[in-house]
Each structure stands twice: as structure tokens, then as C-alpha cells.
Amino acid sequence: MTVPAPWALLAEVTHRCPLHCPYCSNPLELVREDAELGGDEWARVFIEAADLGVVQAHVSGGEPLLRPDLDAIVAAAHRAGVHTQLVTSGLGLSGPRLARLLDAGLDAVQLSLQDARREGSDLIAGRRSYAAKERAAQVIRSADVPFGLNVVLHRRNLDSVAEIIDLGTRWGADRIELANVQFHGWALRNRAALLPTRDQLTRARAAVADAARRGGGPELTWVMPDHYEGVPKPCMGGWGARSLTVGPDGTALPCPAAYAIADLDFPNVRERPLAWIWTDSPAFNAYRGTGWMNEPCRTCPRRDADFGGCRCQAYALTGDAARTDPACSLSPDHHLIRTLIPAPDTPPEPLTYRPHP
Amino acid sequence: MADASPWRPVLARSVILRYDRVRDADLLLMPERAVRLSGTGGRVLRLCDGSRTVAGIVAELSEAFPGAPVEREVPEFLERVRAKGWLR
């Protein structure tokens, strides 16, 4: 089959992070600092990525600001002609730091927020961080750079979604991404604590639709949950179809959650050119297209729309990444998902914070 | 009273117009989205620098592409792009 050119690169420049979010999607085993790619290695990755067709890079982590050479990394992406967005917790984003990044060619900033109010936000982040985020928002706003706010939604904050939208409006965000939690990496440990009730989800969706109808505020993106409707989320626009992730140590993956698929041998940019990794590596071809599918996906009319759902979730829940995503109502494993949704009156489980050294 | 000053289209702050050598196409790049422009879309949007009016853009393109249905299609195209929020 012809392999389409990738559009986007998620560059996880470090796994180090000042926050301890229970829904962290980074893998259980984090890459240590001494194994991280150097700035010159990232520069080569961006050149190879641009040659392949990548036009957008999301410079993420962990917290990318923990890298003192982040300016040089961003400059390298910019030189390669790649549109570059910083994805940050906001901790460490001072006015001068952002000014240097913009000089290096940074195009946009996405700031994470855990909840609308200080107590809730700090509770989810596992440390005091709300005030720093508020300052970071001011810094981003004053720099007049495109500003997105990203909020992971779950049992503990879905009820404040209207307040979150109001806050994002006051902070001057251009966009708010309201992303219902997915259970990858560390997040899977907190599934019972994070899965919302069906009522919560219904109310939140109505609140978002209300705000969108009123208009005038930031552009709102609702990233749908996949445990409730029996409809799986499409896998990344297809496995190895639109984007790729390069981890802190150079591991290349079709999806940031794919670390968890232990059967695949993920190639490394230190050992192989990105063109081989994207086009020829067994890992990137494992679930490309539809040829790998089993029933019920193989003959499903939606197979080119959702690609069988999430490979990483299929692996996490069934041990076989080639099975239909259990989030799909047609999956023989769908009961694994359906039985998880908490009843309206059950108290939420405690959170297990992500430790960082 | 209607605003008498004519629209001088310019790309929205978060939108970057770039030629993509791999796909041999003009793209609009945004923080979470990339849009491939078909045909002459890039050529039209390159003229949207905030100084030219729609009439001015039409006049320039009519000169460059004699006989093309510029007068009808270009204003429609610009309105469609504005409705997406990519032009202001």
C-alpha cells in the first residue's frame, strides 16, 4: 500500500514534569533525563520530519520548559519550516522565557488547566500550580501569541465545565480543548477514580453546547469520551496515517499511548532515519490500513472511519492490539467497558498521583 | 448605519499560509489544524495582507488570469474563508 505523508509530530522532549496528574498519559516507565535526546538530535528529527511532510510540531512532555535548551529545539523546528506549538503546564513560563521562544520561532502556546478554581486545579495537579498557570495565561495573552487552553475532563471537574469555559474566556484563550479523559499510561491506574457518571457527562455536554450557541467566546473543542456511546474513537486518524510521536529518548511511535503495546518493537531515531521508521518499520505498519483487522471490524462499514478504534485500548483491555476496541458496542469485549461506568450515587474513588522524582 | 469602509481581508492571527513542498500545495496552518488549499486558493490568500480591498484583489487577479471567473468566485471564496474564521 502507498504510505501517506505524515502531517504532525508530537515531540515529547522530556518526561520530567512538576505536576502529578492522576490522568497522566505518559507511560508507566518514564524516560530518565540522562537518556533524553540532545538538542542536535532533535534538530535532525525536525529536518527529517519536514522532509517526510510534517508541517506541525507539538513540543510537549512532561514539561518542555524543564529543558534549558528549549529555545534551540524550537529554533530547529522553525528552521525546518515546521509550525511549532508549545504544550505546557505553564510552570516556568515567564515573560522573558516566552519572548525568547517567540524569537526562536514559536507559533502557538497550549496551556493545561486542571479545573476552574484554585483548590480543584491544585488537587488534580497534585501540587500548588494554579497561581502559576494564571500568571502564565497573562504572559501568553500579553505576548499576543495564539493561545489554547487544554483541560482534561473527568469525574472531579466535569461539573465545573461552564466555569472552566468562563475562566478561559477571562484569561483570553483563543481556543479551549475540553478533552474527556482517556485511559493510557498512568491514567489507567486511576480509571475508577476518573470515569464520570453518565449524568455528569450529559450535563457537561449540554453546558458546552450552550456556551457554543451563545458564541463570542473562545472556540470550543469537545473531545468525546468513548466509554458511553458504544462508539470507539478513531485511532489517531489511522495508525501511521497522519502523525507520529518521538519520545524523550528517541523512541518513535504512531501514537503517544503506544508505549504500552509490549508486542511491538518501536524503532528509535538514534538508530534509524525517520523515513524508514515511518514508511518501512514493522511497528508503523502493524495496524496501518485495514488489512490487519479481524471481525467484526474487517467487514464493518465504519472501518475506514474509526479504524477499529484505539489499538492501545484494545491491547490494554484484551491483551491483543488487533482486536476491536472494546469501546465499540460491536466488540465481543464491550462488557469490559460497559461494566466500568459508575452509578450516579457512588462516591468517587481516591486519586493515585503520578510520582516524579 | 452600515460600516462604509471596505473590507481589507487579512489572515487571522493564528493562521499561517505556507507552501508545502512535499505535497506541492499551499496550506493554512493553525495550532491544531492544517488545511490544504486547492487550486488557486493560496494565490488569492497571499494577496490578503490587510492593505488590499476585495475589489483590489479581484482587479489584480483579473489582470493575472484574463478570462477566469474571478469577479464572481473570488469574493465568494473570501467570504467562505472568513466564515471559517481564518480571515478577518
Side-chain angles (χ1 to χ4, degrees):
Chain A
M1 67 181 280
T2 331
V3 176
W7 289 88
L9 166 68
L10 177 66
E12 291 179 339
V13 295
T14 184
H15 274 160
R16 291 172 287 140
C17 186
L19 304 190
H20 305 282
C21 306
Y23 54 68
C24 180
S25 59
N26 281 344
L28 290 181
E29 193 167 333
L30 297 175
V31 171
R32 292 194 330 269
E33 182 174 1
D34 58 11
E36 289 176 2
L37 294 182
D40 49 340
E41 290 175 298
W42 276 112
R44 184 171 55 78
V45 169
F46 289 123
I47 291 169
E48 292 185 11
D51 284 345
L52 262 180
V54 165
V55 293
Q56 282 173 313
H58 304 279
V59 179
S60 180
E63 175 49 68
L65 292 169
L66 288 175
R67 287 202 57 146
D69 60 347
L70 187 63
D71 304 359
I73 291 173
V74 166
H78 180 70
R79 271 198 311 276
V82 176
H83 182 281
T84 307
Q85 169 163 258
L86 172 68
V87 181
T88 179
S89 68
L91 276 68
L93 190 65
S94 64
R97 186 87 199 267
L98 180 56
R100 286 203 303 278
L101 290 166
L102 293 172
D103 282 347
L106 185 71
D107 292 294
V109 181
Q110 188 191 85
L111 176 68
S112 72
L113 175 69
Q114 280 63 33
D115 203 346
R117 297 192 196 188
R118 181 190 305 263
E119 311 78 64
S121 189
D122 290 352
L123 175 76
I124 298 300
R127 65 167 280 172
R128 288 167 68 164
S129 50
Y130 180 88
K133 287 168 182 285
E134 198 168 26
R135 282 194 300 277
Q138 281 164 8
V139 163
I140 299 166
R141 191 64 272 175
S142 329
D144 201 31
V145 58
F147 172 18
L149 201 60
N150 182 310
V151 189
V152 175
L153 298 177
H154 46 79
R155 174 120 193 211
R156 307 280 189 132
N157 66 2
L158 262 168
D159 293 332
S160 48
V161 74
E163 237 183 302
I164 290 170
I165 294 170
D166 286 346
L167 184 74
T169 309
R170 281 204 305 283
W171 281 7
D174 299 304
R175 281 171 298 107
I176 307 179
E177 185 174 310
L178 300 159
N180 282 283
V181 61
Q182 299 178 62
F183 299 102
H184 302 303
W186 188 263
L188 193 54
R189 293 207 174 169
N190 280 292
R191 188 171 57 186
L194 296 172
L195 267 175
T197 67
R198 203 174 279 279
D199 289 355
Q200 274 187 301
L201 207 49
T202 306
R203 287 194 304 271
R205 191 169 12 216
V208 174
D210 264 0
R213 248 195 317 277
R214 280 197 308 277
E219 179 187 336
L220 301 177
T221 307
W222 170 262
V223 181
M224 68 171 210
D226 65 357
H227 280 43
Y228 296 80
E229 306 293 340
V231 180
K233 292 162 74 83
C235 156
M236 299 296 290
W239 180 272
R242 296 187 57 84
S243 60
L244 73 158
T245 297
V246 174
D249 62 353
T251 303
L253 311 120
C255 158
Y259 289 102
I261 305 182
D263 317 353
L264 293 179
D265 183 15
F266 291 106
N268 193 296
V269 299
R270 280 176 165 146
E271 288 150 18
R272 295 282 197 166
L274 208 55
W276 179 87
I277 288 173
W278 176 259
T279 309
D280 299 316
S281 71
F284 275 73
N285 283 296
Y287 306 111
R288 198 170 243 152
T290 53
W292 56 272
M293 286 178 177
N294 300 307
E295 292 298 352
C297 293
R298 185 193 293 275
T299 52
C300 179
R302 287 185 48 80
R303 66 184 177 278
D304 293 307
D306 63 27
F307 314 101
C310 173
R311 297 303 88 231
C312 304
Q313 184 153 278
Y315 183 83
L317 298 186
T318 74
D320 178 0
R323 283 179 81 78
T324 300
D325 182 345
C328 181
S329 61
L330 302 173
S331 156
D333 307 307
H334 187 49
H335 61 278
L336 295 175
I337 291 267
R338 222 174 33 228
T339 50
L340 295 172
I341 298 167
D345 46 359
T346 50
E349 304 265 333
L351 303 169
T352 308
Y353 289 105
R354 162 127 246 178
H356 281 289
Chain B
M1 207 178 87
D3 185 355
S5 61
W7 180 31
R8 297 172 192 273
V10 63
L11 287 175
R13 194 170 52 101
S14 59
V15 180
I16 292 172
L17 172 61
R18 186 166 292 166
Y19 172 70
D20 175 2
R21 61 192 156 88
V22 172
R23 297 174 184 82
D24 186 24
D26 286 311
L27 307 178
L28 291 182
L29 296 179
M30 288 157 264
E32 307 292 340
R33 193 182 293 171
V35 178
R36 191 200 305 239
L37 296 166
S38 55
T40 53
R43 176 100 196 214
V44 177
L45 292 180
R46 271 205 182 80
L47 298 177
C48 297
D49 60 359
S51 77
R52 295 169 168 88
T53 61
V54 176
I57 291 168
V58 167
E60 271 186 54
L61 290 169
S62 301
E63 204 165 302
F65 302 97
V70 168
E71 213 160 315
R72 182 174 50 84
E73 288 183 1
V74 169
E76 280 175 13
F77 171 72
L78 293 175
E79 277 303 336
R80 280 204 306 279
V81 179
R82 173 150 77 171
K84 295 273 191 193
W86 303 334
L87 272 180
R88 57 185 168 84

